[in-house]
């Protein structure tokens, strides 16, 4: 066995650790910082708290909230310009805020714009700005991964990848996540669960990443339903936030598989929440996947507290039921056919996830999966 | 619950990964490197291999083997001078080579010598040289910790601590460990086991570090005896090497406890192998320790495959028996009394380990432990 694991940043976990954001920036010798933060968070008490924190540390902090929904080219361009001349970038919010912050920290010191680096066309600058990541959803694991996603000029999902995008410090504060609504908690939590599951079981899986993936599966299994039903339960919120972070470490090393191929393909047609799309794609393919019968699948099942992999499909369906996940796509999907989805699933940028899947994904498999996905009600 | 975990470096694991040392240095933009390497390794085929590797990458590599036994002040001074003007330091060997390499990488850019930084008297330079660590014993975990140990001018054990000492890249190659004799394999393996156990159960223990500590306990439990009995078993060698690395991460975050207080105190009297001294101190105090009955002790026992903490003392004694560990101290200990050891156990530099122990360590406890330790045969 041979494996490589990429560095894991400093992590601080616990209720209230976000009070140390500016002090942590100061310890990293920061005099000026760009704070990429979701607009509704900036407008909340948190925005004021942060401004006071940075002022107390004598750090000139500029807030950037010029984005909405999943990151677009214009958002990452604007954030990169705003980051120029700063010492550090803080990302606070969901995966979009973190991804924009990570890209801005790299491109602040670059001669070219985002499209120059998209899809690994060119290497990123070696010495990006320092980064502190503070996730307020438990889902993407962007705080510990080297991946960022944004929509290119034609709306296609692109990525900028590299260890240069990775955080120096991650602050995991469950108190920042208690206001996340039940449906988003469930969708993001399932996204994290699928990250951990795919990283633990795909063709790139290895023991080094399984350490994190199995811990994530265990944390999410025991706490996700509680976090959905009892949003103020700090212990459950903490467990899914830590699980999501560990799942991010797992995909940072081993990537994803078929559920993310489906999820990205769906988003290539028309907007859909990434976590929901991933959960639906996962449920639709899990029975087919576990037929592979690998030792990794059995180990992932055990991490979920199950006796064997054969019980995984029923377990996941039950978990999604208990978390109240409605199996439906947004209404806008009515304009598309199974053939449209199958075409997106075969698009070049989605092939790494197809190839990483532990079973061979034939063209016939893709057609069958696309048909099953597009047979879902389009009622959201 | 609140915790902090310090960054984990890039790790590459597997038979043969040491062939990539110079290429990895090159990827870190290295033009000149200091290679701190055990003398017997430098004189072996490995020394020639490494010289050829570095030459092929166009890196000017200087080899430093001017040390023997545990690091002394003169060794770390000489290595620090040799590292001046280099881009990177590689440490290859046991814990001594790694500790010297880590200190040299920091002090190469410092205005002062080692004693200026010993016992955290002054902060280390913020921008040390890059470091690649390649352990050839499975024991200290120095490759993933922020700690280094060396003997001061009066022979007392001192330490230089700080995240600045930590590796950028760790290469874990079990092929480099197969020549380690059975007794050293057992002593070092027990040292790693105790690192994991103490980090998982002392007063500083937390869930963030337990992830690594429990994995280390599990890996060492299943593979240590096999590695001792079948030295060429690469899979077993790999498991204890990875376990030792994870144990290093665990102590990097939570430190050690009473067994290391005893071990350091013994070494304060006269030389003794650190792993042996730690194993003996651990066995002598474990029954007393598990009376604390904490949840952490129960979890550590489960990581060893045991039903509960009460079975730990017999399990550890059995493991030490099966690994052929002779319960004896070196002959030179005949010159010292239990009172001498008790005095060392109370020395200021050994109090953090005493205080971290999950049970209060009274002066009467120290006298009793010292008496038990010094009653061991002095026949080695």
């Amino acid at each position: 066995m041979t494996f490589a694991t990429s560095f894991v940043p400093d992590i601080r976990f616990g209720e209230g650790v976000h009070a140390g954001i500016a002090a942590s920036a100061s310890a990293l010798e920061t005099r000026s910082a760009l704070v990429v933060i979701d607009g509704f968070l900036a407008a909340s008490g948190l925005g004021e708290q942060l401004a006071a924190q940075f002022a107390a540390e004598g750090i000139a902090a500029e807030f950037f909230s010029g984005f909405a929904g999943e990151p677009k080219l214009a958002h990452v361009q604007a954030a990169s310009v705003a980051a120029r001349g700063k010492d550090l970038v803080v990302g606070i919010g969901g995966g979009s805020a973190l991804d924009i912050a990570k890209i801005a920290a790299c491109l602040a010191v670059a001669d070219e714009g985002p499209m120059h680096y998209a899809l690994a066309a060119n290497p990123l600058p070696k010495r990006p700005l320092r980064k502190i990541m503070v996730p307020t959803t438990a889902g993407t694991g962007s705080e510990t991964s080297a991946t960022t996603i944004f929509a290119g000029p034609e709306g296609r999902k692109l990525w900028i990848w590299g260890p240069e995008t990775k955080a120096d410090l991650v602050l995991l504060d469950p108190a920042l996540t208690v206001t996340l609504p039940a449906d988003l908690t469930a969708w993001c939590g399932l996204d994290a669960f699928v990250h951990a599951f795919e990283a633990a079981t795909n063709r790139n899986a290895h023991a080094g990443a399984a350490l994190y993936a199995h811990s994530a599966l265990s944390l999410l299994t025991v706490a996700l339903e509680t976090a959905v039903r009892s949003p103020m339960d700090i212990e459950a919120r903490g467990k899914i936030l830590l699980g999501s972070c560990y799942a991010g470490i797992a995909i940072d090393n081993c990537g994803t598989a078929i559920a993310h191929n489906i999820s990205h393909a769906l988003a290539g047609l028309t907007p859909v929440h990434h976590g929901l799309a991933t959960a639906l794609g996962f449920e639709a393919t899990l029975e087919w996947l576990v037929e592979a019968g690998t030792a990794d699948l059995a180990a992932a099942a055990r991490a979920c507290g199950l006796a064997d992999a054969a019980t995984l499909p029923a377990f996941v369906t039950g978990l999604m039921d208990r978390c109240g996940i409605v199996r439906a796509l947004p209404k806008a999907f009515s304009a598309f056919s199974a053939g449209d989805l199958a075409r997106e699933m075969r698009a070049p940028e989605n092939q790494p996830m197809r190839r990483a899947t532990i079973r061979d994904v034939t063209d016939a498999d893709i057609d069958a999966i696309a048909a099953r996905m597009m047979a879902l009600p389009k009622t959201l």
Side-chain angles (χ1 to χ4, degrees), chain A residues 226-247:
Chain A
T226 305
V228 170
R229 291 176 182 269
S230 307
M232 301 304 292
D233 187 321
I234 281 283
E235 193 183 325
R237 290 286 190 181
K239 283 184 175 163
I240 65 170
L241 188 59
L242 189 60
S244 167
C245 173
Y246 287 163

Side-chain angles (χ1 to χ4, degrees), chain A residues 332-343:
Chain A
F333 278 88
S334 302
F336 300 96
S337 69
D340 293 328
L341 181 60
R343 191 187 64 244

Side-chain angles (χ1 to χ4, degrees), chain A residues 104-174:
Chain A
C106 291
L107 301 197
V109 297
D111 298 324
E112 306 280 347
M115 294 306 292
H116 184 73
Y117 303 99
L119 305 178
N122 292 285
L124 287 166
K126 285 277 179 201
R127 312 215 182 287
L129 304 187
R130 302 273 200 150
K131 303 165 218 77
I132 298 177
M133 295 293 139
V134 190
T136 62
T137 64
T140 67
S142 176
E143 67 275 15
T144 39
S145 80
T147 300
T148 62
I149 305 266
F150 69 99
E154 305 102 27
R156 188 172 291 276
K157 276 205 177 187
L158 303 174
W159 43 264
I160 288 180
W161 180 91
E164 296 83 359
T165 70
K166 288 178 68 172
D168 298 282
L169 170 63
V170 172
L171 297 177
L172 300 176
D173 191 336

Side-chain angles (χ1 to χ4, degrees), chain A residues 268-283:
Chain A
L269 297 178
T270 188
V272 52
H273 188 276
H274 173 71
L276 171 63
T278 302
L280 295 174
F282 186 57
E283 188 181 32

Side-chain angles (χ1 to χ4, degrees), chain A residues 60-84:
Chain A
E62 180 182 338
F63 286 67
F64 178 89
S65 300
F67 58 97
E70 305 213 334
K72 319 279 182 304
L73 177 59
H75 303 150
V76 295
Q77 279 172 328
S80 301
V81 169
R84 283 194 186 276

Side-chain angles (χ1 to χ4, degrees), chain A residues 93-337:
Chain A
S96 298
L98 304 194
D99 281 5
I100 292 170
K102 287 159 68 179
I103 294 174
C106 291
L107 301 197
V109 297
D111 298 324
E112 306 280 347
M115 294 306 292
H116 184 73
Y117 303 99
L119 305 178
N122 292 285
L124 287 166
K126 285 277 179 201
R127 312 215 182 287
L129 304 187
R130 302 273 200 150
K131 303 165 218 77
I132 298 177
M133 295 293 139
V134 190
T136 62
T137 64
T140 67
S142 176
E143 67 275 15
T144 39
S145 80
T147 300
T148 62
I149 305 266
F150 69 99
E154 305 102 27
R156 188 172 291 276
K157 276 205 177 187
L158 303 174
W159 43 264
I160 288 180
W161 180 91
E164 296 83 359
T165 70
K166 288 178 68 172
D168 298 282
L169 170 63
V170 172
L171 297 177
L172 300 176
D173 191 336
L176 293 180
T177 70
V178 295
T179 54
L180 198 69
D183 56 349
L184 287 171
T185 301
W187 295 348
C188 293
L190 258 297
D191 187 26
F193 185 93
V194 180
H195 286 159
F197 188 89
E198 295 200 318
T201 60
N202 71 13
R203 289 185 198 266
N204 305 316
H206 57 62
L211 176 69
Y212 303 99
H214 290 165
S215 180
L217 289 173
S218 169
L219 287 162
L220 289 158
T221 295
V222 302
L224 181 56
E225 183 187 349
T226 305
V228 170
R229 291 176 182 269
S230 307
M232 301 304 292
D233 187 321
I234 281 283
E235 193 183 325
R237 290 286 190 181
K239 283 184 175 163
I240 65 170
L241 188 59
L242 189 60
S244 167
C245 173
Y246 287 163
I249 298 172
I251 53 168
D252 190 39
N253 289 295
C254 300
T256 58
I258 187 66
H260 278 80
N261 171 292
I262 298 167
S263 169
H264 286 272
L266 284 168
L269 297 178
T270 188
V272 52
H273 188 276
H274 173 71
L276 171 63
T278 302
L280 295 174
F282 186 57
E283 188 181 32
T285 51
L286 188 54
E287 200 167 320
W288 167 84
L289 193 78
V290 297
E291 287 173 9
T294 63
D296 285 342
L297 285 163
R302 283 195 299 274
C304 299
L306 305 174
D308 57 56
T311 56
L312 273 165
F315 163 75
V316 167
T317 290
L319 179 65
M320 287 173 63
D321 285 344
R322 295 194 304 278
C323 290
I325 293 180
V326 175
R327 273 63 154 199
L329 292 167
K331 293 191 183 78
F333 278 88
S334 302
F336 300 96
S337 69

